[in-house]
Amino acid sequence: AGSTIGQFTSLHDDAGTTVTYRLMASHLTDFGLIPGGWFTVGALVEDNYSNSPSRKIFVSEFFMAKTEVTLQRWEQVRTWSLSNGYPDLDVGAGTGNAYPVGGVNWFNMTTWCNAVSEMEGLTPCYYDTSGGVIRTGTGTRICDWTADGYRLPTEAEWEKAAKGGRLNSRYPWGNTISHALANYASSNGDYGDLSNGAGGHPTYGGGYSPVGSFAANDYGIFDTVGNAYEMVWDRTNVTPGAFSNGAINPIGAGGNTYRMMKGGSVHESAFKSMSAARSYFRALNRVQSRGFRIARSNVAHGYPFTLEANGTLKTATTFDFESNASTYAIRVEARDEYNASVESNFTITLTNLNEPPANLSSTVSLTIAENQPIGTVAGIFNATDPDANASLTYSLVSGAGDANN
């Protein structure tokens, strides 16, 4: 363990750029990694948005789904759930299979997260007050933030993922918005709206668009602006104190029946489409324009390797050709300090050294007294094999072979 087996490098355009490398969970290709760290939450100072003032908070690393949950995915999980202890997930609504699911309430969304977690063999995140896994109903949900299953993102996580690592930016791509960038309802030129007064998106007739229809941000996350609102975990707090400056992994306020939603919708203007904009909705209600996307934490990449930030790949265990897999597929990310990144897949091949046993000797003196019966032990041989978990066999040979006979 700890042996160097590779060194990754990448080309970049920015002079003096620092590139860091990490192993990605190859099975999470539909998720973007949101790196942990401090970031600026809230609106631009010039927007004078008192409900979301600028402040610094810390969010730990997590994975965010690249797109909203589609109607097709909702129904796939719902079908499984009905025969696996989840009796009452609602039928989803939507324009089509590739469109955001709607028509389900916040309680259904959290229950669905538990269902897809159990369907994939993960630990569910949501429990009732007695510690039971939530599989039905509208009772109190308690989130286990240490679980590796699927869940709703917090408002802070959602905003960090939506901003894509950009500073002082209204939207995931910059400070202006148009129908070339998102599916929203343009009403005037405020908040950088370049489709000034055009109304709903002309391509979709003011209706919904398939997920992933517009460009992803720098974290690889699609459609956090417009289309369908996205419900998050947090209970409503409509005051600027939703999370204070210096907060670490805030999860919002408690004690009422409303939940926060982010990102705007096809019915909302540029103002509600800002990454910092804050809206809320009754958790029990269901309408088409309220959707969601899922998140995960505590996800191990599962490889028997470590990758240092400088790109050095090392073993994390001792390998043996006879007992380990012969190839390993890994996924590596290279990211610079501006959050621009690239990912690629690689295959590691385990080679068989085929080294012969060594140190052949007898553990007892090779002597025998005369007149001993047949089967008397005359010696006990032992040798070492460089292959782990080796099983050696011993036999008498003529001596006519090679030096290892």
Side-chain angles (χ1 to χ4, degrees):
S3 300
T4 298
I5 57 174
Q7 180 69 48
F8 291 96
T9 61
S10 62
L11 298 176
H12 49 83
D13 296 331
D14 302 312
T17 297
T18 300
V19 177
T20 57
Y21 301 85
R22 62 179 292 130
L23 287 169
M24 302 292 289
S26 60
H27 58 290
L28 292 182
T29 55
D30 294 332
F31 286 72
L33 173 68
I34 315 303
W38 294 93
F39 82 108
T40 301
V41 68
L44 300 179
V45 173
E46 56 265 37
D47 288 339
N48 194 29
Y49 183 31
S50 61
N51 193 26
S52 188
S54 177
R55 57 243 190 256
K56 286 271 192 179
I57 66 172
F58 183 91
V59 169
S60 297
E61 175 184 295
F62 70 103
F63 287 86
M64 177 83 117
K66 292 180 179 179
T67 67
E68 293 173 298
V69 173
T70 63
L71 175 62
Q72 181 178 46
R73 183 59 172 157
W74 175 274
E75 290 302 320
Q76 287 172 342
V77 175
R78 178 180 173 274
T79 298
W80 176 91
S81 74
L82 294 176
S83 57
N84 286 276
Y86 290 81
D88 56 3
L89 278 178
D90 289 338
V91 175
T95 305
N97 281 338
Y99 291 74
V101 67
V104 295
N105 65 33
W106 182 91
F107 292 102
N108 259 214
M109 294 173 187
T110 53
T111 302
W112 186 92
C113 286
N114 273 3
V116 68
S117 296
E118 292 201 286
M119 188 175 80
E120 296 186 7
L122 304 174
T123 302
C125 290
Y126 298 119
Y127 297 83
D128 59 29
T129 55
S130 299
V133 175
I134 292 288
R135 295 190 178 95
T136 185
T138 58
T140 298
R141 267 85 169 130
I142 298 171
C143 185
D144 178 2
W145 301 101
T146 67
D148 66 352
Y150 299 101
R151 58 178 176 79
L152 298 182
T154 65
E155 183 181 4
E157 288 175 331
W158 189 97
E159 188 166 331
K160 181 168 187 177
K163 287 184 172 179
R166 289 177 175 261
L167 299 175
N168 300 317
S169 181
R170 285 192 185 104
Y171 308 105
W173 50 79
N175 289 333
T176 60
I177 187 173
S178 71
H179 282 148
L181 298 169
N183 185 4
Y184 69 107
S186 175
S187 60
N188 53 51
D190 291 343
Y191 302 99
D193 188 352
L194 302 181
S195 293
N196 190 3
H201 199 289
T203 301
Y204 306 105
Y208 299 94
S209 47
V211 301
S213 292
F214 299 88
N217 69 11
D218 290 342
Y219 287 151
I221 308 299
F222 295 87
D223 305 329
T224 58
V225 173
N227 216 17
Y229 264 117
E230 298 183 22
M231 302 295 294
V232 297
W233 164 256
D234 303 52
R235 295 179 178 91
T236 302
N237 186 335
V238 295
T239 69
F243 10 90
S244 58
N245 192 52
I248 296 176
N249 293 322
I251 58 174
N256 65 43
T257 58
Y258 291 84
R259 297 282 169 163
M260 298 303 299
M261 59 186 187
K262 302 284 286 183
S265 76
V266 297
H267 307 300
E268 300 288 4
S269 67
F271 170 67
K272 289 292 188 180
S273 301
M274 295 188 301
S275 299
R278 308 183 69 232
S279 303
Y280 60 93
F281 194 64
R282 189 176 177 86
L284 278 170
N285 290 359
R286 49 175 66 85
V287 293
Q288 177 58 50
S289 61
R290 274 58 169 167
F292 71 110
R293 75 177 71 214
I294 53 179
R296 282 187 68 187
S297 302
N298 311 300
V299 180
H301 58 63
Y303 304 125
F305 310 99
T306 59
L307 181 59
E308 297 178 354
N310 65 3
T312 302
L313 183 69
K314 294 184 176 182
T315 59
T317 187
T318 300
F319 289 87
D320 175 65
F321 190 84
E322 284 74 21
S323 57
N324 289 111
S326 58
T327 60
Y328 295 85
I330 64 171
R331 188 171 181 85
V332 176
E333 178 202 67
R335 180 178 295 273
D336 66 20
E337 66 265 43
Y338 305 106
N339 283 316
S341 65
V342 64
E343 296 178 22
S344 293
N345 295 316
F346 299 89
T347 299
I348 299 171
T349 301
L350 180 63
T351 59
N352 186 6
L353 296 179
N354 198 25
E355 296 182 19
N359 304 317
L360 178 61
S361 63
S362 174
T363 60
V364 298
S365 176
L366 297 178
T367 60
I368 185 171
E370 63 179 337
N371 301 320
Q372 296 299 306
I374 295 172
T376 298
V377 174
I380 300 176
F381 289 95
N382 187 45
T384 58
D385 194 320
D387 295 321
N389 304 316
S391 177
L392 297 179
T393 59
Y394 301 85
S395 59
L396 292 170
V397 293
S398 65
D402 61 29
N404 291 318
N405 270 344

